[in-house]
Amino acid sequence: MTKVNANGIKQNVFQGRSVLAEKDFTPAELEYLVNFGLHLKALKKENIPHHYLEGKNIALLFEKSSTRTRSAFTTAAIDLGAHPEYLGQNDIQFGRKETTSDTAKVLGSMFDGIEFRGFKQSTVEILAKDSGVPVWNGLTDEWHPTQMLADFMTIKENFGSFKGLTLTFMGDGRNNMANSLLVTCAMFGVNIRILAPKDLFPSSEVQSIAKGFAQKSGADILITDDLDKGLKGANIVYTDVWVSMGENNWAQRIKLLKPYQVNMAALKKTGTPDDQLIFMHCLPAFHNDQTEYGQKIEEKYGLKEMEVTDEVFASKYARQFEEAENRMHSIKAMMAATLGNLFIPKV
Ligand code: CP
Ligand code: NVA
């Protein structure tokens, strides 16, 4: 039965829900959030107010560092009329002096919604179970669902629809981005190639979730270590860092992933016409030696660029900064839909 809110209005399908992983939503629901993000982007550009969360308090809980996710949640909350509060790793007792469950109960009694970025997926699950308010996953070791909303907004902006597209993810095929892209492409009917060395192929669990969705959407899935097969026909070439937050195995990853760098030769292998091909990266990226990390890598391993060359990063194919901006619009859509008591007729 449809739930009715305090004003006698039928509750929409998103109200009160947490966003922990893409697979917890139907493809239609996920696409609704993508489209709602595009709508809110248009409102923002036209300076049309959208204070759907007036008077709400939002906790931003970060175990790992962040530029885009933190900035996006902060500005999105403010644009929606809510108050965001950043609670960093060393600011609260969380995880050191207090259990996740106790923290969840306390935060849930004061905040109307909680964002969490950190290591374990089980942490975000406990927060959602015990806080009693919507919890949004701002990245764990397993999934990065808010990144997917922004990325598929970007894909829609570039191609108009998802129909017939092929996305190739090159790099660490077991990380949060590879997992999320594999499952989300399968949900949306986008053909997906995970192009990685065999040692870094996605887990069988993630592959089987993706296969389940692909059976219904018609998406073609290929997991391969063969550059020619993995890149052929791609419209979107996507990559991510070779060593994710919480890892430190640079030597092993560089050895394994060097052949899987996104460079101009890799883009050429797609055989896709220029106007049908884009490059994407969730960022941050190692595309030169202008960072502290970049310099250390150059000194130790003699590499000036890692997962993507500077040439590709600065090329006409690159869309990474559009994705970054879309983090804000899409996170706004997700928070408004799950917390804003909005009238959403049918999804
Ligand atoms: N893409 C992304 O999540 O960026 P941050 O780590 O800067 O939040
Ligand atoms: N795989 C990366 C994604 C950063 C947005 C990490 O977890 O560090």
Side-chain angles (χ1 to χ4, degrees):
M1 211 175 72
T2 316
K3 283 193 204 147
V4 173
N5 72 15
N7 302 321
I9 296 170
K10 274 186 198 160
Q11 258 186 16
N12 73 61
V13 70
F14 299 102
Q15 185 65 30
R17 278 169 80 180
S18 292
V19 179
L20 307 183
E22 303 79 0
K23 64 177 168 46
D24 302 336
F25 288 78
T26 65
E29 288 169 350
L30 213 59
E31 192 168 356
Y32 182 90
L33 294 179
V34 170
N35 292 337
F36 191 31
L38 290 166
H39 172 70
L40 293 180
K41 183 172 183 176
L43 294 191
K44 174 80 176 174
K45 302 283 174 201
E46 295 295 325
N47 278 315
I48 299 169
H50 38 281
H51 290 176
Y52 301 135
L53 298 185
E54 195 81 60
K56 306 276 193 213
N57 295 319
I58 310 287
L60 305 180
L61 205 48
F62 280 83
E63 272 183 348
K64 291 178 177 170
S65 57
S66 161
T67 299
R68 279 143 289 271
T69 310
R70 177 178 175 177
S71 307
F73 268 99
T74 304
T75 50
I78 292 167
D79 277 358
L80 290 167
H83 174 89
E85 189 64 30
Y86 179 76
L87 306 170
Q89 194 192 10
N90 299 316
D91 299 333
I92 60 171
Q93 317 281 18
F94 181 61
R96 284 173 296 139
K97 269 179 80 178
E98 195 157 31
T99 64
T100 304
S101 176
D102 292 354
T103 307
K105 286 168 192 152
V106 174
L107 294 183
S109 70
M110 300 181 196
F111 289 95
D112 301 286
I114 301 168
E115 180 275 352
F116 172 79
R117 161 172 288 202
F119 296 90
K120 293 191 207 143
Q121 183 70 13
S122 59
T123 306
V124 81
E125 284 165 4
I126 295 169
L127 286 171
K129 185 167 74 63
D130 292 344
S131 67
V133 298
V135 171
W136 305 296
N137 178 357
L139 177 146
T140 62
D141 291 345
E142 280 178 52
W143 306 108
H144 198 0
T146 63
Q147 182 74 47
M148 291 305 102
L149 300 177
D151 288 349
F152 283 85
M153 265 181 79
T154 312
I155 291 171
K156 256 206 181 163
E157 287 174 323
N158 278 276
F159 295 99
S161 83
F162 302 146
K163 219 173 144 44
L165 294 177
T166 297
L167 185 150
T168 297
F169 175 85
M170 280 175 91
D172 175 7
R174 305 183 71 90
N175 78 9
N176 39 23
M177 281 303 304
N179 291 346
S180 279
L181 284 167
L182 178 52
V183 170
T184 309
C185 283
M187 290 174 79
F188 287 156
V190 172
N191 303 323
I192 167 83
R193 281 81 180 92
I194 300 290
L195 178 52
K198 284 200 176 71
D199 284 351
L200 296 175
F201 274 6
S203 69
S204 53
E205 290 96 311
V206 173
Q207 287 196 44
S208 92
I209 294 168
K211 277 180 195 150
F213 282 113
Q215 266 166 12
K216 291 186 199 122
S217 72
D220 182 54
I221 297 177
L222 178 69
I223 318 280
T224 181
D225 62 352
D226 184 304
L227 287 169
D228 292 311
K229 286 186 190 146
L231 282 160
K232 189 165 180 265
N235 302 98
I236 302 143
V237 178
Y238 203 121
T239 192
D240 182 19
V241 289
W242 288 347
V243 177
S244 287
M245 289 181 275
E247 300 178 323
N248 201 16
N249 43 350
W250 293 95
Q252 179 234 29
R253 286 295 163 78
I254 287 171
K255 196 166 161 237
L256 282 173
L257 288 168
K258 228 170 146 183
Y260 297 90
Q261 180 187 64
V262 179
N263 48 36
M264 281 299 177
L267 294 188
K268 233 191 179 130
K269 278 186 190 288
T270 62
T272 305
D274 266 10
D275 62 347
Q276 289 300 308
L277 177 64
I278 64 173
F279 164 74
M280 294 177 75
H281 193 310
C282 55
L283 301 178
F286 289 112
H287 60 97
N288 61 26
D289 59 358
Q290 306 293 302
T291 60
E292 213 179 288
Y293 264 90
Q295 273 169 21
K296 276 191 198 145
I297 296 300
E298 194 189 352
E299 277 162 28
K300 212 162 166 196
Y301 303 100
L303 273 185
K304 260 191 185 312
E305 319 162 298
M306 284 201 276
E307 73 272 11
V308 57
T309 59
D310 219 24
E311 190 183 9
V312 169
F313 198 80
S315 73
K316 62 181 177 186
Y317 306 104
R319 297 293 184 277
Q320 65 275 7
F321 295 114
E322 283 87 333
E323 294 174 77
E325 180 193 328
N326 285 340
R327 297 297 307 286
M328 197 264 273
H329 307 296
S330 52
I331 282 171
K332 199 185 273 181
M334 175 190 72
M335 290 198 292
T338 53
L339 196 54
N341 274 306
L342 300 185
F343 176 65
I344 299 172
K346 198 165 181 279
V347 179

